[in-house]
Amino acid sequence: MISTIRRIIITAADLFFVACGVSAAEGMDCCEMTVGDSAACDSSCVVVKKRPVRAAALVVGMNTGLWLYDRYVRKDDWFKISGKTIKNNFDNGFNWDWDYDRFVTNLFGHPYNGNLYYNAARSNGMNYWVSTAYALGGSLTWEYFSEAQHPSTNDIISTSIGGSAIGEATHRISEGILDDSKRGAERVGREVLALLINPIGGLNRLLNGDSWRVRSPRNGNGGRPSAFDLSVGAYGGTLYEGTGLMRGDAYFGINLNCSYGNFLDRSKKPYEAFRMKSSLCLDGSQPLVGKLDIIGDLVTGVRKGKGDWRTTYGIYQYFDYFNSKKTGADDRPSVELAQIASFGPGIVVGTDGDRCSWRIEEGIFTGAVILGGCKSDHFRYGDRDYNMGSGFSVRSTTRVAYRHAVDIGLDVMDINLYTWKGGTVEELRDKKVENIQGDRGHASMMVLNPSIEVFVSHRLSLSLEAYYFLRRSYYKDFENVCARVTDTQLSFAYHL
């Protein structure tokens, strides 16, 4: 009887997603097939049960726990909700606002929270598209039911779309770390690291008993792709206004970088290949999260050229977040730049590294930026000192590597954001700036990122990289501004 009821609930949930135009079973990775589909899998596949009800319960539980914290621990008036506040939010319909939270809250905090919603579904057997729907649902229920203010346009976009980028990357990285055939200290270390990277995925493993279950890899986790490089390192950096290496304010922290899959292979499902760079500042002199850069493929095709050369083309998703500023020093150099929701076509040309000593790869990516943000020289309201907007981005990635000895890279990115709902001089002066994106105008931001990594052993490497930021802000009501900042990092990394 219980089993029958359970099947009815799961079927009803599947029908709900089909009605929304997406099937939970559709597009699922072979390594994440459901019990009913397991016969179609090869020996490397994993049987993963779909648990849409548990996924929804986790989303509701996260929202409830966060609301209780904000309401009764922080005692924030915005979370004093009632039937009246909920009705007011629905009466406002889709006339969503632009809020005035800090840069880190709006352009990293909300995407990270969306990643938790996303992985509530992803770790319970859903695919990329359905998991993104869960992230959107989690954001909408929070905005309409948990806050005594109108829903926020930027929050809903960043939580759902930005959450899917972080969520899929962390899901695949954690699955690549896990190995259910291991025991002892190595097993504990893998489980802890995967939990830190993907907390909701780790919670699901605890609920399922997978965290301590020993079994062969094909019956446990799906393993990692043939091309999987995850590195954890310590770095020292400097932030300097202008151009110059190893000059300016010093800081240190850790970075986590991942190269997953091969951009020169065909991808039928999202994020079968992606690149991620991230850094955390640990000495308190900079914001905790200084950088998160993700490029992931959604679907690609391949055309083989002469010899070992290949060309891939397709649609990609981009997530870029840079936040560097000396804590408590407004007069020091700073960088605030993000494209949180961005998609577009790209092309990658290169050699097949499996058969060549040299690996050469050149990628050109373009994106339609739905939501981004950049530093403002004038706009100040609430916790906001930045503009939000939409626009386009262009990026070139060049990589030359020789065996497992040296890797040289050069990334050039240009992000153009337009504030299409900006405030006038009078509105800014009189603080009548409710529900606007910032200053009227647009900004062009170039990021130049050269890097070199030298392997001193199979698992240890030493790298030097620099980020040169050039921001040109074109204001309708103020003088234009050109600002330059150089961020340099020297790091020592261990490759898992």
Side-chain angles (χ1 to χ4, degrees), residues 108-117 158 162-163 166 170 196-197 199 319:
F108 177 77
H110 284 290
Y112 184 80
N113 201 56
N115 138 75
L116 301 179
Y117 296 146
S158 62
I166 301 177
T170 55
L196 292 174
I197 293 173
F319 184 101

Side-chain angles (χ1 to χ4, degrees), residues 31-66:
C31 290
E32 296 176 348
M33 297 296 287
T34 59
V35 174
D37 298 323
S38 59
C41 284
D42 60 30
S43 60
S44 65
C45 293
V46 181
V47 177
V48 178
K49 295 180 180 179
K50 289 188 296 182
R51 298 184 177 92
V53 176
R54 178 190 284 185
L58 284 171
V59 171
V60 173
M62 284 186 284
N63 277 349
T64 302
L66 184 57

Side-chain angles (χ1 to χ4, degrees), residues 24-281:
E26 199 173 89
M28 185 173 294
D29 292 344
C30 182
C31 290
E32 296 176 348
M33 297 296 287
T34 59
V35 174
D37 298 323
S38 59
C41 284
D42 60 30
S43 60
S44 65
C45 293
V46 181
V47 177
V48 178
K49 295 180 180 179
K50 289 188 296 182
R51 298 184 177 92
V53 176
R54 178 190 284 185
L58 284 171
V59 171
V60 173
M62 284 186 284
N63 277 349
T64 302
L66 184 57
W67 177 81
L68 289 171
Y69 171 79
D70 288 330
R71 174 68 179 85
Y72 294 105
V73 178
R74 292 181 56 208
K75 300 185 183 299
D76 194 323
D77 290 341
W78 287 119
F79 301 96
K80 292 182 178 180
I81 59 173
S82 63
K84 182 179 180 180
T85 63
I86 295 172
K87 181 179 182 300
N88 182 51
N89 285 341
F90 277 96
D91 289 342
N92 193 54
F94 293 99
N95 297 317
W96 299 337
D97 296 337
W98 296 90
D99 70 27
Y100 299 98
D101 289 332
R102 295 181 301 158
F103 184 83
V104 63
T105 301
N106 273 340
L107 299 175
F108 177 77
H110 284 290
Y112 184 80
N113 201 56
N115 138 75
L116 301 179
Y117 296 146
Y118 179 96
N119 273 308
R122 195 71 173 92
S123 61
N124 277 297
M126 312 303 171
N127 65 10
Y128 170 91
W129 305 105
V130 176
S131 299
T132 301
Y134 269 85
L136 175 60
S139 179
L140 288 172
T141 53
W142 173 265
E143 295 289 329
Y144 277 94
F145 292 95
S146 302
E147 293 185 330
Q149 58 182 333
H150 293 159
S152 167
T153 303
N154 52 278
D155 288 353
I156 293 171
I157 295 173
S158 62
T159 303
S160 57
I161 300 178
S164 70
I166 301 177
E168 185 64 19
T170 55
H171 168 76
R172 288 184 177 269
I173 291 173
S174 64
E175 288 297 305
I177 293 170
L178 294 167
D179 187 343
D180 290 349
S181 66
K182 302 298 182 182
R183 300 170 182 265
E186 181 181 351
R187 176 64 179 270
V188 173
R190 287 176 179 271
E191 294 288 340
V192 170
L193 181 58
L195 176 68
L196 292 174
I197 293 173
N198 182 6
I200 299 301
L203 175 61
N204 263 297
R205 286 180 63 82
L206 290 170
L207 293 174
N208 297 334
D210 293 336
S211 296
W212 50 82
R213 184 176 292 120
V214 178
R215 50 191 174 181
S216 62
R218 77 180 189 90
N219 293 321
N221 60 287
R224 60 181 67 180
S226 57
F228 180 82
D229 179 30
L230 178 67
S231 64
V232 181
Y235 71 83
T238 60
L239 191 67
Y240 180 71
E241 186 171 13
T243 57
L245 297 178
M246 307 307 293
R247 301 171 62 182
D249 300 320
Y251 63 98
F252 69 88
I254 61 173
N255 50 35
L256 177 71
N257 299 329
C258 181
S259 176
Y260 185 102
N262 189 346
F263 273 146
L264 295 173
D265 290 338
R266 182 184 181 187
S267 294
K268 295 182 179 180
K269 302 178 182 67
Y271 282 69
E272 289 188 339
F274 70 88
R275 303 289 182 268
M276 186 192 81
K277 288 184 177 181
S278 64
S279 65
L280 300 176
C281 179

Side-chain angles (χ1 to χ4, degrees), residues 307-425:
D308 297 317
W309 289 88
R310 293 187 201 172
T311 301
T312 59
Y313 49 88
I315 304 299
Y316 298 82
Q317 181 177 11
Y318 316 107
F319 184 101
D320 292 285
Y321 173 86
F322 300 95
N323 187 16
S324 298
K325 179 181 180 181
K326 188 172 179 61
T327 304
D330 293 335
D331 60 335
R332 304 302 294 167
S334 63
V335 175
E336 289 180 332
L337 170 61
Q339 62 168 343
I340 301 305
S342 181
F343 303 90
I347 183 170
V348 181
V349 180
T351 58
D352 186 353
D354 295 335
R355 295 184 294 176
C356 307
S357 298
W358 287 92
R359 179 181 177 86
I360 302 173
E361 185 178 288
E362 171 66 30
I364 302 294
F365 305 94
T366 60
V369 182
I370 302 171
L371 176 66
C374 69
K375 178 181 173 62
S376 169
D377 301 283
H378 306 286
F379 183 72
R380 301 290 185 274
Y381 187 76
D383 292 324
R384 285 272 305 276
D385 61 352
Y386 60 95
N387 296 325
M388 288 187 284
S390 53
F392 66 93
S393 65
V394 180
R395 182 170 188 165
S396 167
T397 63
T398 304
R399 180 186 176 193
V400 179
Y402 179 70
R403 293 183 177 176
H404 197 65
V406 62
D407 195 326
I408 301 172
L410 176 63
D411 284 12
V412 182
M413 177 167 55
D414 188 60
I415 301 175
N416 293 266
L417 296 178
Y418 296 80
T419 303
W420 45 270
K421 194 174 182 182
T424 65
V425 175

